[in-house]
Amino acid sequence: MAYTNKLQLVYGDGTLGLASDGFHYIFSYERGGLESLKINGKEWLYREPMPTFWRATTDNDRGSGFNIKSAQWLAADTFHQCVGIDLTVDGKHFDQLPIAPLNNDYSDHEEAEAVTIKYSYKTLTVPATDVTVTYDVTADGQIKVTMHYQGHADLPELPVVGMRFIMPTTATGFDYTGLSGETYPDRMAGATKGTFHVEGLPVTKYLVPQEMGMHMATEAVTITRNSTQNNADHDDQPFSLKFAQGETPFAFSCLPYTAEELENATHLEELPLARRTVLVIAGAVRGVGGIDSWGADVEQQYHIPADKDIDFSFIINAK
Amino acid sequence: MDADIKWLDDPTIFRVNQLPAHSDHHYYGDYAEWQHDDSRFVQNLDGQWRFKFAKTPQERSQGFYAADFDSSDFDHIAVPSEIELSDYAQNNYINTLSPWEGKIYRRPAYALSQDDPEAGSFSSGKDNTVGAYLKHFDLDPALRGKQIRVRFEGVERAMYLWLNGHFIGYAEDSFTPSEFDLTPYIQDKGNVMAVEVFKHSTASWIEDQDMFRFSGIFRSVELMAQPVTHLEDLDLRPRVTDDYQDGVFNLKAHLAGEKDGTVKVVVKDAAGNTLVDEQVPVEEEVTVSDKLIKDVNLWDNHNPYLYQLLVELRDADGNLVELVPYRFGFRRIEINEDHVVLLNGKRLIINGVNRHEWNAKRGRAITMADMTSDIASFKENNINGVRTCHYPDQIPWYYLCDDNGIYMMAENNLESHATWQKMGAIEPSYNVPGSVPQWKEVVVDRARTNYETFKNHTAILFWSLGNESFAGDNLVAMEQYYHEHDDSRLVHYEGVCHTHDYSKQIPSLDKKNYLPAGGTKDYRDQISDVESWMYLPPKQVEEYLQNNPDKPFMECEYMHDMGNSAGGMGSYISLLDKYPQYFGGFIWDYIDQALLVKDPVSGQEVMRYGGDFDDRHSDYEFSGDGLMFADRTPKPAMQEVRYYYGLHK
């Protein structure tokens, strides 16, 4: 693709391709999200990033009955219902997605300064609520992701609100600027601020696999891999992708497993072989609690009430 | 006397021919032995023993203690070790309910009626596994010709002992040393020691701790020879003057053997300066009183300053026959008129943990390396206190706490949870020990043994009557025992809170959550010098502290660290700044109880917890509440504990 300072647009029939020097992204109309995040020839997505609402319940979550009270968020985390896609190119909003025959008017050299694509979801809760994920892509390859959760008073409290990225292969490690160790909203006091390297994708050895590895108050995290699923890729040099905060720091965990995989195991050895990298970038995290494990709830200020809107943003492929 | 299996059923029989408990001092023949910690008077019997397992008392190998018994079909087992971890018996983890829940209907003897001895309850118990142990040994030459005793440091749960075919004695109380005199039957060579270990007896009702339920000789066994003259019991009473400036040294020693010669009592400071040097004739009881030590170095967590005591016993010719070294400190714990706990005149704050003895491969048969590792972890993470939940620990642990300034709550081996709490409700209809007369002596004996064994340890600031055993006259008797024998420490017990109406002190508490239906006698004025709760939320702790706290407050268990937990700790710690009557607590708990086993599917070494051995009823992963994983690596939450415990060091 020719080098310019603009985004190159490929108006497909099921996708929108966006590319420039060193990156090529594909937003799917069929699959309800960003299907491909290719940077310097390396694919970063196994499946489309989706909103996440569940954490593998902790012993305290189960002891206090939070798992039962909030169980419907597990369904909302597992399955996603995309109900709308809005595309805006250089400020021009498309009333209809530009697939054939509309895209017959385009060429093989379409360009733009900025593209915004917004995916709207209805949660699989009763009642449902609305969640939108907006991708603002600029010519430098940065994608600002903005998630909006529409509060709903009739829903139970949330375990977590964030975006989950599943990467095709395991990371060799990650580096982040934030707090040392595993932190939660009610367990941040002992942490030191700094930049930390974590080797591999450590799974904390809780007897029953559960929520783990959260890092609060993070400015940026860079994931490094050295393998792909591309059979024609013979390179084993490390390559990295940086996620940076938007307006405010975020929380993240980077593990080889989804919340559902963790939830399903009663022992570490029941977890599947580590194959992927599961990055959760969260705008809201529930505390872990500590009073007791048979009824006491997490302290009130560390809950995630369902009736309040939650908005947060972060940047993919941050420079 | 012959052994009687019916003792297993009788709560009034818990020690037969056992020597009286005494201080845990070491004794040596001379200074070189002390330096090498190799006493000529001690012969260790740890190692491989012959072993035969039986699933029930009825199937056990009767008569195996006979001198001419053919033990060729016996296996081998390591001493110390847990029988279950050699795969003879099923591992089982269970919390509050009894291990026979859903399998055998039992009630404690005399609990429901004075006419109900529950005969045969354990001696015919189909769940009562039996380990028959045999040890063939010759006496080390240095021990020959002397009075010989054997010390079992820990045997779960009821043991009968024979030597060379003769019945020697019987012991319960799994977690304190049991000593027996072997002198009448010991031979220089070809001795056969036989020990029959029952997993259950009436003691099982009061050893219902929340833990893996093991049995066996799980701590060391030693033969101990008595020097010509021997210091049998040492009772140190180091006092601190009212102005906290000076120390007053007092010693009382009970001597055995030849009443001839002299006793030399020396106290040195850490620099080696001699501060006390007394010589008195050997008598049955020797005292050295009121020796003033000016400008004493007080012992605490920051400066665990210990003085060196040396007691030399010399014969009439002046030859050294026994050397007893002991390290002790001067410290003073008290409650002031404002109900604030003071150590050496300053407010005491406990940044503590509950610590089960645990090793993922060895169960409760832990090693010295485990203990030193735990101490290092305490120091690294600002942990300054330990509750020996819920039984006395191995003896070296107390010395380590002395040396490292770790404040100890020395708890008795007592928990009778199954007898008074049912699915969370307080239901003490068949509670023991309670006020049942037949259950009094057995628990007072546990208090006595705990006191007598560990009384010289500076680190012990609190005696604890036990854990989660409700309350009654028998707990009062234990409390009284400590107060009558020791005015240098405080007495702690939490369970008494289930007998008192807290509507005024903690108004938001719902009575039905802590009081039995129909009420009960209030023991609050008779039991526990401190107000102790477990898992009381910060808001209710604050209520107590705001409502004229008439006893200082602590949490004997808090911050339940099951799995990924330990959040919200700041809400507790901030109360320390607001209320001087709050003196902290002990996190539940220090280390996950999980067993490292080989997974047959993956071939990996993996951690297993309750229920993983097909054991039912179980409380499953509830055994994993540690700040440390069972492999002694810290959980991520430890950085939070290190921070908060560092705020009030």
Side-chain angles (χ1 to χ4, degrees):
Chain A
M1 197 164 292
Y3 176 77
T4 72
N5 286 327
K6 289 191 167 187
L7 284 167
Q8 312 295 311
L9 273 64
V10 180
Y11 287 101
D13 289 328
T15 66
L16 174 71
L18 299 177
S20 185
D21 191 37
F23 67 88
H24 194 130
Y25 308 146
I26 299 173
F27 288 90
S28 173
Y29 304 145
E30 299 172 292
R31 300 181 58 82
L34 173 60
E35 186 178 0
S36 176
L37 184 67
K38 199 169 185 179
I39 297 168
N40 297 324
K42 307 285 188 181
E43 179 57 66
W44 279 93
L45 293 176
Y46 176 67
R47 293 289 185 268
E48 296 72 27
M50 287 291 160
T52 183
F53 305 105
W54 192 251
R55 70 175 186 193
T57 49
T58 66
D59 287 308
N60 284 357
D61 286 339
R62 293 187 292 274
S64 66
F66 177 75
N67 56 339
I68 291 165
K69 284 180 278 196
S70 294
Q72 52 181 311
W73 290 115
L74 173 58
D77 187 81
T78 309
F79 306 110
H80 301 86
Q81 177 178 221
C82 181
V83 293
I85 303 172
D86 278 85
L87 179 64
T88 305
V89 176
D90 280 344
K92 175 182 176 286
H93 180 258
F94 286 82
D95 295 332
Q96 270 187 284
L97 288 174
I99 56 173
L102 299 180
N103 59 359
N104 293 341
D105 296 338
Y106 293 121
S107 68
D108 66 351
H109 50 273
E110 298 296 325
E111 291 185 340
E113 297 281 350
V115 171
T116 298
I117 185 161
K118 180 171 87 173
Y119 290 92
S120 297
Y121 303 92
K122 278 243 180 265
T123 60
L124 297 183
T125 52
V126 183
T129 191
D130 297 316
V131 171
T132 60
V133 178
T134 306
Y135 297 85
D136 287 304
V137 187
T138 46
D140 58 2
Q142 296 197 106
I143 307 173
K144 183 177 185 186
V145 182
T146 303
M147 182 171 173
H148 171 75
Y149 161 84
Q150 182 70 41
H152 198 304
D154 295 333
L155 286 170
E157 291 179 356
L158 288 134
V160 67
V161 177
M163 287 291 292
R164 178 167 59 218
F165 297 80
I166 303 180
M167 298 166 186
T169 59
T170 52
T172 57
F174 55 93
D175 296 83
Y176 69 97
T177 300
L179 300 177
S180 66
E182 214 177 74
T183 45
Y184 290 88
D186 54 355
R187 205 175 76 201
M188 292 167 61
T192 53
K193 287 183 184 167
T195 298
F196 303 95
H197 173 73
V198 176
E199 192 67 23
L201 295 172
V203 174
T204 316
K205 308 175 273 190
Y206 299 116
L207 280 185
V208 173
Q210 54 196 274
E211 161 62 31
M212 63 176 72
M214 190 58 72
H215 302 280
M216 303 298 296
T218 305
E219 293 170 21
V221 56
T222 300
I223 315 293
T224 300
R225 294 157 58 215
N226 65 3
S227 62
T228 68
Q229 295 194 130
N230 177 358
N231 59 297
D233 179 358
H234 306 295
D235 171 28
D236 60 0
Q237 291 305 302
F239 54 97
S240 298
L241 177 61
K242 182 177 179 182
F243 295 75
Q245 71 168 70
E247 286 72 28
T248 54
F250 57 79
F252 81 96
S253 66
C254 191
L255 300 166
Y257 304 116
T258 63
E260 286 76 12
E261 285 171 316
L262 292 171
E263 188 78 78
N264 200 42
T266 59
H267 295 84
L268 282 179
E269 63 272 19
E270 295 159 15
L271 289 166
L273 294 174
R275 296 176 185 280
R276 321 271 176 226
T277 301
V278 180
L279 174 72
V280 170
I281 297 202
V285 175
R286 171 179 160 84
V288 288
I291 294 171
D292 66 38
S293 305
W294 49 88
D297 205 343
V298 170
E299 289 182 290
Q300 190 67 39
Q301 63 269 37
Y302 307 116
H303 293 202
I304 308 176
D307 61 347
K308 291 199 172 58
D309 291 1
I310 296 169
D311 294 278
F312 73 103
S313 64
F314 56 94
I315 294 157
I316 307 176
N317 198 15
K319 303 301 177 185
Chain B
M1 184 189 286
D2 288 328
D4 189 344
I5 195 173
K6 293 194 175 65
W7 295 340
L8 299 176
D9 304 319
D10 188 345
T12 69
I13 298 179
F14 46 87
R15 56 193 297 156
V16 176
N17 295 340
Q18 209 181 317
L19 294 170
H22 57 80
S23 59
D24 66 348
H25 59 278
H26 299 275
Y27 57 99
Y28 303 93
D30 57 36
Y31 281 83
E33 288 178 20
W34 171 36
Q35 280 159 13
H36 299 111
D37 191 23
D38 185 18
S39 173
R40 75 183 71 169
F41 303 114
V42 178
Q43 180 179 347
N44 189 283
L45 291 186
D46 291 350
Q48 292 295 311
W49 289 42
R50 304 302 298 269
F51 181 74
K52 187 80 173 174
F53 177 77
K55 286 185 172 173
T56 67
Q58 286 61 45
E59 295 165 78
R60 78 192 194 279
S61 177
Q62 297 196 43
F64 78 105
Y65 49 80
D68 58 354
F69 179 77
D70 176 8
S71 60
S72 54
D73 71 333
F74 273 42
D75 305 331
H76 287 87
I77 195 168
V79 168
S81 74
E82 313 278 15
I83 291 172
E84 288 74 7
L85 297 184
S86 291
D87 300 328
Y88 287 101
Q90 191 174 19
N91 292 321
N92 177 216
Y93 163 69
I94 189 166
N95 176 10
T96 64
L97 294 175
S98 66
W100 49 83
E101 171 70 16
K103 296 170 189 162
I104 294 176
Y105 178 88
R106 282 191 174 105
R107 288 292 178 270
Y110 309 110
L112 288 170
S113 158
Q114 280 295 295
D115 303 324
D116 178 14
E118 294 282 324
S121 188
F122 295 102
S123 59
S124 306
K126 294 203 179 330
D127 56 347
N128 199 0
T129 58
V130 190
Y133 292 76
L134 286 173
K135 182 70 172 176
H136 296 79
F137 65 95
D138 298 337
L139 266 188
D140 285 352
L143 278 73
R144 293 177 189 171
K146 298 185 170 65
Q147 295 199 46
I148 302 293
R149 67 178 69 182
V150 62
R151 177 170 74 178
F152 292 85
E153 295 190 12
V155 180
E156 279 192 273
R157 173 161 294 105
M159 63 163 279
Y160 295 79
L161 173 67
W162 293 263
L163 181 71
N164 299 326
H166 301 277
F167 176 64
I168 301 293
Y170 172 78
E172 296 180 0
D173 195 358
S174 309
F175 294 89
T176 53
S178 300
E179 292 186 1
F180 301 92
D181 183 18
L182 302 180
T183 311
Y185 305 112
I186 194 87
Q187 304 160 180
D188 287 352
K189 294 189 171 184
N191 293 289
V192 185
M193 180 175 286
V195 186
E196 194 170 48
V197 177
F198 290 83
K199 184 159 184 167
H200 292 302
S201 72
T202 47
S204 299
W205 289 108
I206 53 175
E207 295 182 11
D208 189 35
Q209 286 96 340
D210 171 13
M211 59 191 189
F212 272 92
R213 308 305 176 98
F214 292 133
S215 61
I217 305 176
F218 72 102
R219 291 180 182 166
S220 289
V221 183
E222 301 97 24
L223 298 171
M224 305 169 85
Q226 183 172 307
V228 177
T229 304
H230 172 58
L231 199 170
E232 175 68 17
D233 183 61
L234 176 69
D235 186 0
L236 297 176
R237 300 285 173 127
R239 308 282 185 196
V240 177
T241 54
D242 289 347
D243 60 2
Y244 309 104
Q245 288 302 304
D246 306 322
V248 182
F249 174 76
N250 297 280
L251 171 150
K252 190 161 70 177
H254 181 80
L255 303 187
E258 297 286 330
K259 302 296 184 300
D260 199 10
T262 55
V263 183
K264 185 176 158 82
V265 175
V266 172
V267 176
K268 294 181 176 182
D269 65 17
N273 302 307
T274 299
L275 307 173
V276 174
D277 188 353
E278 289 285 311
Q279 197 152 309
V280 291
V282 167
E283 291 179 59
E284 183 155 337
E285 192 170 293
V286 167
T287 57
V288 173
S289 301
D290 296 333
K291 297 295 165 195
L292 186 69
I293 295 179
K294 293 289 287 180
D295 299 322
V296 75
N297 292 288
L298 297 175
W299 178 97
D300 68 8
N301 176 252
H302 301 276
N303 182 23
Y305 194 101
L306 295 178
Y307 289 81
Q308 179 69 57
L309 168 73
L310 296 164
V311 181
E312 292 179 0
L313 272 57
R314 292 184 181 273
D315 65 16
D317 299 329
N319 300 312
L320 185 62
V321 298
E322 184 180 77
L323 171 68
V324 174
Y326 211 95
R327 279 150 60 80
F328 69 97
F330 289 88
R331 55 107 186 95
R332 174 164 160 168
I333 183 164
E334 61 203 313
I335 298 173
N336 74 7
E337 66 276 9
D338 296 323
H339 314 291
V340 177
V341 181
L342 304 181
L343 178 69
N344 301 333
K346 289 178 280 193
R347 182 180 169 202
L348 173 70
I349 289 175
I350 301 278
N351 301 311
V353 293
N354 283 273
R355 174 180 169 275
H356 267 290
E357 292 187 313
W358 191 256
N359 175 304
K361 286 187 171 167
R362 300 175 53 84
R364 283 186 288 279
I366 65 169
T367 66
M368 193 67 193
D370 295 328
M371 289 183 250
T372 54
S373 156
D374 292 351
I375 286 284
S377 158
F378 281 21
K379 294 176 83 84
E380 194 177 314
N381 294 296
N382 299 321
I383 294 165
N384 73 1
V386 68
R387 177 178 180 223
T388 68
C389 66
H390 303 296
Y391 42 78
D393 290 337
Q394 285 190 31
I395 290 170
W397 180 246
Y398 297 79
Y399 285 93
L400 285 170
C401 289
D402 290 343
D403 287 343
N404 291 282
I406 303 300
Y407 305 138
M408 297 188 87
M409 173 171 282
E411 190 151 273
N412 288 316
N413 176 21
L414 175 64
E415 176 164 349
S416 66
H417 213 143
T419 72
W420 64 273
Q421 193 171 34
K422 321 287 158 61
M423 296 198 294
I426 314 298
E427 197 295 295
S429 56
Y430 65 87
N431 174 236
V432 289
S435 302
V436 183
Q438 291 88 345
W439 289 82
K440 177 180 173 186
E441 287 309 317
V442 63
V443 294
V444 172
D445 184 67
R446 286 170 185 234
R448 179 187 303 114
T449 304
N450 193 28
Y451 168 74
E452 292 290 1
T453 307
F454 299 113
K455 58 183 176 282
N456 295 321
H457 286 285
T458 306
I460 299 174
L461 303 185
F462 303 89
W463 299 112
S464 178
L465 302 187
N467 185 57
E468 300 177 2
S469 299
F470 199 60
D473 295 347
N474 296 336
L475 276 294
V476 174
M478 296 172 83
E479 173 98 10
Q480 285 172 345
Y481 176 87
Y482 283 116
H483 280 304
E484 283 163 11
H485 288 81
D486 191 355
D487 60 2
S488 70
R489 296 181 175 95
L490 303 178
V491 180
H492 161 274
Y493 182 62
E494 173 270 342
V496 68
C497 73
H498 297 296
T499 71
H500 178 73
D501 183 343
Y502 283 90
S503 326
K504 290 198 170 61
Q505 288 132 308
I506 315 175
S508 74
L509 266 187
D510 187 348
K511 269 191 229 178
K512 75 176 187 333
N513 292 333
Y514 67 94
L515 275 175
T520 182
K521 182 179 169 185
D522 187 341
Y523 285 96
R524 184 169 183 265
D525 291 342
Q526 292 174 276
I527 295 176
S528 194
D529 296 326
V530 297
E531 183 73 30
S532 174
W533 283 72
M534 46 174 68
Y535 311 110
L536 195 66
K539 284 180 179 153
Q540 290 168 327
V541 175
E542 185 156 26
E543 284 179 41
Y544 175 86
L545 293 165
Q546 286 174 333
N547 287 300
N548 301 313
D550 56 345
K551 287 183 180 182
F553 186 92
M554 62 164 293
E555 296 250 28
C556 65
E557 296 176 15
Y558 78 128
M559 294 302 301
H560 195 262
D561 197 34
M562 186 175 181
N564 183 3
S565 182
M569 188 168 172
S571 299
Y572 286 106
I573 299 302
S574 63
L575 296 175
L576 289 167
D577 296 323
K578 293 170 75 176
Y579 303 99
Q581 290 82 8
Y582 184 36
F583 66 105
F586 299 93
I587 289 174
W588 186 267
D589 59 355
Y590 177 66
I591 186 166
D592 278 0
Q593 295 177 61
L595 289 168
L596 191 68
V597 303
K598 189 166 184 182
D599 173 25
V601 176
S602 66
Q604 297 171 323
E605 297 244 286
V606 300
M607 288 294 179
R608 289 284 154 91
Y609 49 80
D612 285 344
F613 305 93
D614 292 345
D615 49 314
R616 303 289 187 279
H617 171 64
S618 177
D619 285 285
Y620 305 92
E621 66 268 30
F622 203 73
S623 63
D625 313 333
L627 293 170
M628 306 286 280
F629 292 107
D631 64 0
R632 285 195 155 68
T633 56
K635 282 187 187 172
M638 190 64 106
Q639 75 173 1
E640 191 83 349
V641 172
R642 184 189 315 133
Y643 171 77
Y644 279 119
Y645 274 0
L647 295 181
H648 300 89
K649 279 181 81 173

